[in-house]
Amino acid sequence: MKKSKGIKYVTKKGGVFWPSDAMKEIANMSDPKIYDKAEKNPVKFWGELAKGGLTWEKEWDETYEEKLPYFKWFKGGELNFCVNCLDRYLDKPKAIAMIWVPEPTNEKPIKITYGELYDKVNKFANVLKQNGIKKGDVVSIYLPMIPQALTAMLACTRIGAIHSVVFSAFSADALKARIQDGKAKILITADGYYRQGKKEPLLKKAKVAARKTTIKKIIVVNRIGGKVRGGKFLDFDTEIEKANSYCKPEIMKSEDTMFLLYTSGTTGKPKGIVHDTGGYATQAYWTCKWNFDLHRGDVMWCTADIGWITGHTYAMYGPLLTGATTLIYEGGPVFPNPGRWWKIIQDNEVNVFYTAPTAIRMFMGGDKKWISKYDLSSLKILGTVGEPIDKESWMWYFNKIGGGRCPLIDTWWQTETGGTLINTLPGIGPFVPTVSGTSFPGTRHAIVNERGGAVPKGDSGFLVQQSPFAPGMLHGIFNNHKKYVDTYWKKFKTMYDTSDGAYLQNGLIRITGRTDDVMKVAGHRLSTAEVENAIHDNWHVKDCAVVPMPDKIKGQVPIAFVVLKWRKSSEKLEKKLKKHVDIKIGPTARPKRIFFVEDLPKTRSGKIMRRILKALLINEKPEGLMTLVNPNSVEKIKEVVSARS
Ligand code: WT7
């Protein structure tokens, strides 16, 4: 598709937005009948999609096998993921696979062709092999948004190694826990990266994390001029230069594990979400085709970091699976000024832009001139993800960034689902502010009550997924069957529990947010229990509860309530506790405030009533005081909170 600019891709009808004829014309999917067709036989439907979208070495024997709580897609089928991203696009080796935009403005963006990426990935795959990595081994990747991250991830998939990417802003402790859980043999990291004009060191954290673990070698990308030598350390580029240029792809079973990605649940320990190969690839491919309408040559910019699932599926893999171009940007959104993102869109003619509501809210508060300065007419589709988006932010994004021309899709999904699941398709519509929309063709969701029965239309309830479960869905929690069952299958047995609330608005699904103790802080998923555990490490802390508080930009921020043993509270101690959260998890999890209180509201069985704390923070009248053993605590906490607000 070549790029006519500024086309109107939406039209307004009945108060909502629909795809215009121009959109329907170019869209990979514009037939509303697709939903019914898929619904008749979802398994057959996905079988056809898997065949049509991917290159298989061997066809499967059984399209779908369900033995709850587990299920398998394309059983017996064989393929290599890397071949699907690279080898099959070598008919046009000069097409651009990736545009990398470094943060420092004196460094030029780099365009990497499919041919060049293929070469690097093959070589790096050989480097991994020479260092003893075999099919099924876990490789930890702790890298910033630099091209080597993609090379490393793809190289793992080429040889059938399982990658486990850890967000570079996470702490050494967080990385160590993930290395240990996966028993990784190799750690791939960088000396550092640029963020908001500063050099951010990374290797120091990586070294601490790798100490006394299964890590045998640390492969380091030189990004900020640091040198590594000898011992455990290898230099990424030097090793690539020495390596052979072809690595035979390892043929994998469709249901073989491709990667682990750790995410927060309601307990203090992050869980390793297991994703397979063929099912994940199928959903990544088709959601890119139909949601983001990717064609070969289109440029997609998903602003998510590779440390999160959105970065895996839409900043890295999805665009390549479809032969498109992915843009990745190393640095901060407002460096050197608030026009940076919009300049990147203009200069690189980005067609599809996918970001989080928290970023939109941040830009809304800024000066308009930083946007109007730039030509954004290359844009075709906008997307949002990660948390509910309010109407004002939706309209601002649609009008100011999309020029009122582009479909804006609000995609609901999770680390566990691998790819998007609920949103309207740009070629079909409608695009309604704050509403995610419909289940992706071939998937089924319902809104149910506590017992799993359907709620009356329009009422709020629990969002569940029904059989057959989408191909991109998780295949368990790494080495933890019990947690997998307890988290996703205990409540509704035959339906997957998303832990989100939702209701239907004119037949479309509107997500209301988490129903468990998971917070979304600037789109990042964190559990209150993880932060509580970190605070509990301090010897002076007797009791502690962390709850999310609404925040204008970040959506939610963690607030801690701490009871001390006998020491007096002080600013020094507050700082120390915050610092300790940085060390245990990372700065994203740092409580915005710590309230020192005498007691926490508890039930007779000792359960902390976080709901009451939440209500106090937003000045609402707390309910359920009758069930407390210490109702007096609430009045006192209220005083502490209002004294500091
Ligand atoms: C949770 C999953 C994979 C997407 C990135 C986050 C919330 C996600 C939406 C949306 C409202 C959303 C849910 C979900 N969420 N997308 N469009 N509207 N809420 O993945 O870190 O695993 O978080 O993000 O609460 O359960 P994640």
Side-chain angles (χ1 to χ4, degrees):
M1 192 201 66
K2 215 40 206 177
K3 316 224 162 150
S4 8
K5 292 176 131 206
I7 294 180
K8 205 156 164 53
Y9 288 117
V10 291
T11 133
K12 200 168 178 181
K13 242 191 317 190
V16 290
F17 302 100
W18 296 88
S20 67
D21 289 342
M23 183 75 233
K24 285 189 215 158
E25 211 169 284
I26 59 159
N28 287 322
M29 175 46 66
S30 57
D31 179 7
K33 287 204 277 302
I34 189 75
Y35 292 102
D36 284 343
K37 186 183 155 210
E39 175 55 27
K40 271 191 198 114
N41 190 341
V43 170
K44 185 164 161 243
F45 174 78
W46 281 112
E48 282 164 11
L49 291 192
K51 236 178 261 179
L54 301 178
T55 303
W56 296 81
E57 301 298 323
K58 178 179 165 281
E59 213 178 285
W60 49 90
D61 312 310
E62 203 176 339
T63 313
Y64 180 69
E65 176 197 272
E66 186 175 293
K67 289 183 186 157
L68 288 184
Y70 294 97
F71 43 88
K72 287 179 174 165
W73 279 95
F74 317 121
K75 211 180 148 197
E78 292 178 357
L79 77 169
N80 178 275
F81 187 82
C82 181
V83 166
N84 275 278
C85 289
L86 298 178
D87 305 40
R88 64 178 180 152
Y89 292 118
L90 289 179
D91 59 324
K92 287 190 189 156
K94 293 219 168 71
I96 307 297
M98 171 183 280
I99 303 171
W100 178 57
V101 183
E103 189 189 81
T105 43
N106 59 351
E107 284 185 48
K108 289 232 149 42
I110 293 176
K111 291 186 174 167
I112 301 165
T113 66
Y114 271 87
E116 287 161 348
L117 187 59
Y118 174 81
D119 182 58
K120 288 250 193 280
V121 167
N122 272 270
K123 287 178 174 163
F124 194 67
N126 283 330
V127 173
L128 290 175
K129 271 175 130 174
Q130 278 157 21
N131 284 286
I133 297 298
K134 291 189 288 296
K135 176 176 169 174
D137 287 345
V138 177
V139 172
S140 285
I141 298 180
Y142 187 52
L143 283 171
M145 294 298 277
I146 54 177
Q148 289 87 346
L150 182 53
T151 308
M153 288 163 79
L154 278 168
C156 287
T157 69
R158 192 156 192 94
I159 61 172
I162 297 168
H163 61 64
S164 165
V165 178
V166 181
F167 182 37
S168 56
F170 275 157
S171 67
D173 279 19
L175 172 60
K176 190 186 201 86
R178 288 155 176 81
I179 289 172
Q180 281 171 322
D181 193 61
K183 298 198 173 54
K185 291 185 179 160
I186 283 197
L187 172 62
I188 305 165
T189 187
D191 54 353
Y193 55 100
Y194 292 92
R195 187 87 195 173
Q196 309 285 51
K198 285 205 288 272
K199 283 183 181 177
E200 197 71 50
L202 195 61
L203 186 58
K204 233 167 60 196
K205 287 194 284 175
K207 279 184 186 168
V208 173
R211 233 178 262 152
K212 294 196 180 136
T213 64
T214 40
I215 295 292
K216 299 244 161 26
K217 290 270 164 66
I218 304 182
I219 307 180
V220 187
V221 178
N222 176 349
R223 169 71 187 118
I224 57 169
K227 286 226 162 36
V228 293
R229 337 182 174 91
K232 271 190 185 175
F233 299 97
L234 297 171
D235 177 74
F236 193 98
D237 290 307
T238 316
E239 294 305 310
I240 282 199
E241 271 164 36
K242 291 192 296 196
N244 285 337
S245 54
Y246 178 70
C247 173
K248 195 164 175 281
E250 187 76 38
I251 301 308
M252 305 295 284
K253 293 215 164 57
S254 173
E255 67 271 23
D256 279 343
T257 299
M258 182 170 118
F259 67 91
L260 304 178
L261 184 59
Y262 287 81
T263 191
S264 297
T266 48
T267 64
K269 201 170 163 279
K271 34 192 192 180
I273 302 299
V274 176
H275 280 290
D276 79 344
T277 310
Y280 172 80
T282 303
Q283 200 171 322
Y285 178 93
W286 284 102
T287 52
C288 272
K289 281 299 230 195
W290 291 353
N291 285 337
F292 300 115
D293 201 52
L294 290 185
H295 302 252
R296 284 183 84 174
D298 276 357
V299 179
M300 170 154 182
W301 182 16
C302 161
T303 64
D305 191 278
I306 49 153
W308 308 96
I309 191 72
T310 316
H312 281 59
T313 310
Y314 299 107
M316 297 276 168
Y317 289 145
L320 295 181
L321 281 169
T322 53
T325 303
T326 181
L327 183 143
I328 69 167
Y329 169 53
E330 176 182 35
V334 294
F335 182 84
N337 60 51
R340 187 66 193 268
W341 272 20
W342 322 119
K343 182 170 170 20
I344 291 175
I345 292 180
Q346 167 189 280
D347 292 354
N348 298 285
E349 302 198 11
V350 171
N351 305 118
V352 178
F353 184 62
Y354 190 32
T355 194
T358 183
I360 296 161
R361 291 192 298 261
M362 185 187 75
F363 284 111
M364 275 168 77
D367 192 332
K368 282 200 292 284
K369 76 164 191 225
W370 291 114
I371 298 164
S372 50
K373 237 174 118 155
Y374 298 104
D375 174 7
L376 305 180
S377 63
S378 60
L379 288 172
K380 175 174 81 169
I381 290 167
L382 302 176
T384 155
V385 61
E387 47 172 325
I389 182 167
D390 59 283
K391 184 165 181 191
E392 198 192 342
S393 309
W394 196 102
M395 289 308 302
W396 184 90
Y397 188 26
F398 178 80
N399 284 320
K400 294 289 180 298
I401 305 305
R405 300 182 296 109
C406 306
L408 166 45
I409 57 171
D410 175 358
T411 62
W412 175 88
W413 59 300
Q414 307 176 303
T415 305
E416 290 87 342
T417 73
T420 62
L421 276 177
I422 301 176
N423 56 265
T424 49
L425 299 181
I428 297 176
F431 318 111
V432 187
T434 77
V435 171
S436 284
T438 354
S439 300
F440 196 82
T443 70
R444 293 167 173 159
H445 296 89
I447 298 167
V448 300
N449 61 27
E450 280 284 347
R451 293 171 311 284
V455 297
K457 256 205 172 97
D459 280 11
S460 291
F462 300 94
L463 179 71
V464 294
Q465 193 186 141
Q466 295 165 310
S467 170
F469 301 96
M473 290 293 288
L474 78 166
H475 287 259
I477 291 176
F478 193 62
N479 286 339
N480 204 335
H481 169 75
K482 185 174 178 313
K483 198 159 186 182
Y484 174 66
V485 176
D486 287 353
T487 313
Y488 307 109
W489 305 97
K490 205 169 172 182
K491 193 160 177 178
F492 301 116
K493 308 289 186 265
T494 57
M495 299 186 283
Y496 166 85
D497 181 3
T498 68
S499 297
D500 273 310
Y503 63 85
L504 280 185
Q505 182 176 316
N506 299 326
L508 300 173
I509 298 172
R510 189 180 201 274
I511 310 289
T512 52
R514 300 288 300 196
T515 55
D516 58 4
D517 286 325
V518 165
M519 300 178 280
K520 295 302 304 264
V521 180
H524 297 155
R525 178 162 159 184
L526 291 165
S527 88
T528 54
E530 259 174 283
V531 185
E532 285 169 6
N533 282 355
I535 292 174
H536 258 296
D537 282 347
N538 188 295
W539 187 82
H540 298 290
V541 172
K542 183 175 160 208
D543 219 345
C544 158
V546 170
V547 292
M549 181 170 91
D551 181 87
K552 236 178 135 196
I553 305 278
K554 292 185 168 178
Q556 294 184 324
V557 288
I559 303 289
F561 292 86
V562 171
V563 182
L564 295 175
K565 281 181 186 147
W566 47 75
R567 193 188 144 147
K568 269 216 150 56
S569 63
S570 67
E571 256 176 54
K572 211 170 130 203
L573 181 61
E574 176 164 357
K575 270 203 192 122
K576 200 167 166 193
L577 293 175
K578 286 182 178 171
K579 183 103 197 284
H580 190 65
V581 174
D582 288 3
I583 292 170
K584 289 298 272 195
I585 309 169
T588 15
R590 186 190 308 157
K592 185 161 181 202
R593 279 205 174 159
I594 297 181
F595 292 115
F596 293 100
V597 296
E598 278 175 33
D599 205 359
L600 295 170
K602 283 187 180 167
T603 62
R604 249 161 267 281
S605 59
K607 193 174 163 264
I608 299 172
M609 293 296 280
R610 291 182 180 74
R611 207 159 26 85
I612 290 176
L613 297 171
K614 272 191 207 170
L616 292 177
L617 285 175
I618 52 172
N619 245 333
E620 260 177 23
K621 201 171 148 28
E623 281 171 37
L625 297 189
M626 304 287 287
T627 57
L628 299 179
V629 270
N630 53 353
N632 291 344
S633 65
V634 177
E635 220 28 64
K636 287 193 182 153
I637 295 172
K638 212 163 147 185
E639 277 165 28
V640 175
V641 171
S642 49
R644 283 211 33 200
S645 304

